[in-house]
Amino acid sequence: MGAAIQKKVRQFSATYLIKTVSECFEKIPDHRPNKCVIPFANFPKSAFAMMHQKCDSLLAFDEERLDKVCCHNLEKLYHVKDGMVPSDTRMREVLDPVDPSGHKTPFKKLLNIVQRNGALKGFEFKCGKLKDYYLLPVDGTGLFYSGTCRCNDCCIMNEGKKNEAYYHNIMGGCIVHPNQKTVLPLAPEAICKQDGTKKNDCEKAAIRRFLVQVKHDHPQLKLVILLDGLYADNPTIALIKKYGWHYIIVAKDGNHESLIEAMNELYDQGEVEHHTIVDKEKNTTHRFRYANNVTLNLQDEAEQVNVLDYIETDKAGNSHVWCWVTDIELTKKTVESVMRGGRCRWHIENQTFNTLKNQGYQLEHSYGHGEYHLATNFAYLTFLAFLVDQIQELACPRFQKALNKPAKPTRKRLWKKITCLFLTLMIDSWDALFKAIAHGSKSLKLEFDTS
């Protein structure tokens, strides 16, 4: 993977990636009347810059927007034309009615860059006869709740009662690998009230829209979809198979009683296979019980699935139990790979949602609710900023040097360094910024604001 990446290092730089994002923003239709002073693309560009700089609030960003250093850097680093940055109020007004689909295009472009230049090879999931497949865990997460603010994209809690609460949820998915710390998020999908009155109905409708969008954006990408037990139903599985993908889905006792009963019957009949792996180095035992071609549920024309029960016993004697359904054939040679792939579902929670909420990206902060799509647009731009950072962490040497300079590197430290230089120095390129962080500002001729 390293050799393939090194040939096209430039395309993994912040300069190239953010230019690609900016060019996508230029193509979003302007819904405003004629003779507006600020170019329309400056609105999503400025909002993206706010998310990429990890600003605590829209007000904090607004307080810096008129400073000539900030304007200079927004123009040079984020392509905000003529440094014309909209106010917080005007940004909300203009971005609110914008169709969120316009903010999905950069995700496709950026992943194509990763794939085209060989960096995606390091994420391949190898299992049995599968070749050139990638793991894609998908799940929903809450952003924020309100007792008063409500928009078209909000779901409603306790509908019909006096104390209603409105909440914003997002469906997200990312390409992962069991041994990779970086993840590559795809374009997210809003979970909307219009999809149903119950939370489960909304999430099931959203995941189908998400999968349709992924197939549209990446028709040749071979995927193994990782899902929670909520989605172990016939329509979702049928859609995944229709697209030529595979799946590994959690099966929970409470939601799949008929499946568990079928497995127990097969066990009594001696038709369930067993396999044990002992990891002497870690003093851990892995026990597998599996069967192929089991009926998913009691519905007519129910899907036939392969079922994997797995028990891990650690060196202290503690046992942990998992169960998955999959369409990957289960054999002694594949059960361990399927298990490790299934456990990668937690990457969407740990490496993605947790990072976005607790490591500077402020995903749960309400930058503005709006009446139509403002909150959704800000959430999409936050995911987009995360994707740009993840690609650099994966394959950009300058970013990696800046991140790994201290003995115990952390992303939060790097974000603080970037923001500090962004607000105090006139910077003409991302390469200069990362070099300043990695080698110290004395290595560069950066102009201090002396006014």
Side-chain angles (χ1 to χ4, degrees):
M1 181 178 72
I5 292 175
Q6 292 300 322
K7 294 178 182 179
K8 301 274 184 154
V9 156
R10 182 180 67 85
Q11 297 197 11
F12 297 109
S13 67
T15 301
Y16 190 90
L17 297 174
I18 294 176
K19 181 182 178 182
T20 300
V21 170
S22 298
E23 289 172 350
C24 292
F25 291 157
E26 294 281 356
K27 297 178 182 179
I28 298 177
D30 187 352
H31 61 81
R32 303 171 301 168
N34 296 329
K35 299 181 180 180
C36 293
V37 176
I38 300 178
F40 176 77
N42 279 15
F43 288 86
K45 289 177 183 178
S46 298
F48 171 76
M50 176 176 65
M51 302 308 178
H52 193 240
Q53 287 292 321
K54 288 77 178 174
C55 291
D56 292 337
S57 67
L58 191 50
L59 178 60
F61 182 78
D62 185 69
E63 289 173 345
E64 301 291 344
R65 70 181 180 88
L66 297 180
D67 182 85
K68 72 174 187 178
V69 172
C70 184
C71 290
H72 172 91
N73 292 337
L74 286 169
E75 181 177 355
K76 294 294 184 179
L77 303 183
Y78 293 100
H79 308 279
V80 176
K81 189 174 181 181
D82 299 325
M84 299 177 68
V85 187
S87 67
D88 56 343
T89 300
R90 190 63 183 141
M91 187 184 292
R92 292 189 181 99
E93 292 172 349
V94 172
L95 291 181
D96 187 22
V98 173
D99 187 336
S101 62
H103 295 126
K104 291 184 177 182
T105 306
F107 288 89
K108 174 183 177 180
K109 298 287 186 180
L110 295 181
L111 188 67
N112 285 347
I113 291 171
V114 175
Q115 190 172 17
R116 186 170 64 241
N117 292 293
L120 200 61
K121 282 288 184 180
F123 288 82
E124 282 185 21
F125 174 62
K126 298 178 181 179
C127 178
K129 299 178 181 179
L130 297 189
K131 185 178 180 181
D132 300 328
Y133 273 83
Y134 301 93
L135 297 171
L136 180 68
V138 186
D139 206 355
T141 187
L143 303 185
F144 51 81
Y145 298 80
S146 173
T148 55
C149 295
R150 179 180 181 179
C151 69
N152 282 9
D153 290 345
C154 274
C155 293
I156 301 177
M157 185 180 295
N158 300 326
E159 187 172 11
K161 298 181 180 180
K162 292 183 178 180
N163 297 322
E164 290 185 346
Y166 311 114
Y167 59 100
H168 225 84
N169 285 353
I170 289 289
M171 181 70 63
C174 55
I175 294 177
V176 304
H177 188 274
N179 300 323
Q180 287 269 17
K181 290 184 178 181
T182 52
V183 300
L184 298 173
L186 304 186
E189 183 70 39
I191 301 174
C192 301
K193 161 68 170 63
Q194 287 81 352
D195 294 330
T197 57
K198 295 181 179 179
K199 182 175 182 289
N200 287 358
D201 294 336
C202 296
E203 292 190 3
K204 287 188 175 182
I207 198 165
R208 288 171 196 138
R209 289 200 311 275
F210 177 86
L211 295 176
V212 169
Q213 184 74 43
V214 172
K215 186 63 177 179
H216 176 269
D217 289 346
H218 311 284
Q220 304 303 319
L221 198 60
K222 298 178 181 179
L223 297 172
V224 178
I225 310 298
L226 311 180
L227 299 172
D228 181 68
L230 172 66
Y231 309 105
D233 57 50
N234 294 310
T236 304
I237 289 177
L239 180 61
I240 292 172
K241 292 171 65 176
K242 174 185 174 182
Y243 288 155
W245 298 335
H246 295 283
Y247 61 87
I248 304 174
I249 307 178
V250 173
K252 298 177 181 178
D253 291 352
N255 297 337
H256 303 91
E257 293 182 1
S258 61
L259 180 70
I260 302 302
E261 290 177 1
M263 275 293 286
N264 289 336
E265 289 181 8
L266 290 173
Y267 179 79
D268 293 338
Q269 296 168 9
E271 297 181 15
V272 172
E273 300 290 335
H274 296 264
H275 182 52
T276 300
I277 299 175
V278 178
D279 187 336
K280 294 182 179 180
E281 183 178 345
K282 296 182 179 179
N283 196 16
T284 303
T285 302
H286 308 275
R287 293 185 176 87
F288 303 91
R289 186 183 78 153
Y290 58 96
N292 295 303
N293 299 314
V294 183
T295 303
L296 177 62
N297 51 44
L298 299 178
Q299 296 181 14
D300 295 337
E301 301 181 0
E303 294 286 342
Q304 295 295 113
V305 299
N306 306 327
V307 183
L308 174 61
D309 290 331
Y310 165 65
I311 301 176
E312 177 188 73
T313 305
D314 60 26
K315 60 183 179 181
N318 300 314
S319 295
H320 307 275
V321 181
W322 289 268
C323 179
W324 297 278
V325 295
T326 180
D327 63 339
I328 300 172
E329 183 182 7
L330 298 175
T331 67
K332 288 183 178 180
K333 294 182 178 180
T334 64
V335 288
E336 183 177 9
S337 294
V338 170
M339 173 271 289
R340 299 198 182 283
R343 293 180 68 170
C344 277
R345 190 185 72 82
W346 286 105
H347 282 38
I348 190 67
E349 290 287 348
N350 298 334
Q351 268 93 313
T352 306
F353 296 154
N354 179 61
T355 299
L356 287 167
K357 292 179 180 181
N358 301 308
Q359 295 190 31
Y361 291 91
Q362 312 290 339
L363 182 64
E364 292 180 299
H365 176 74
S366 177
Y367 287 91
H369 206 88
E371 296 181 8
Y372 303 100
H373 310 295
L374 184 63
T376 298
N377 284 327
F378 280 144
Y380 285 10
L381 292 172
T382 303
F383 272 83
L384 185 58
F386 177 60
L387 175 57
V388 169
D389 291 339
Q390 287 290 286
I391 293 174
Q392 290 184 91
E393 188 171 339
L394 173 69
C396 177
R398 286 206 183 278
F399 181 94
Q400 292 167 350
K401 286 181 181 178
L403 175 62
N404 296 321
K405 181 185 178 183
K408 295 182 178 180
T410 64
R411 291 170 180 163
K412 278 191 174 183
R413 173 198 170 274
L414 179 59
W415 307 154
K416 289 179 181 179
K417 284 282 187 180
I418 290 174
T419 301
C420 180
L421 295 179
F422 182 86
L423 295 177
T424 56
L425 300 176
M426 288 187 173
I427 306 167
D428 288 338
S429 73
W430 282 101
D431 283 350
L433 175 60
F434 289 131
K435 188 176 180 182
I437 295 172
H439 302 291
S441 58
K442 291 183 179 180
S443 64
L444 297 172
K445 293 181 180 179
L446 296 175
E447 180 185 347
F448 281 88
D449 178 20
T450 57
S451 62

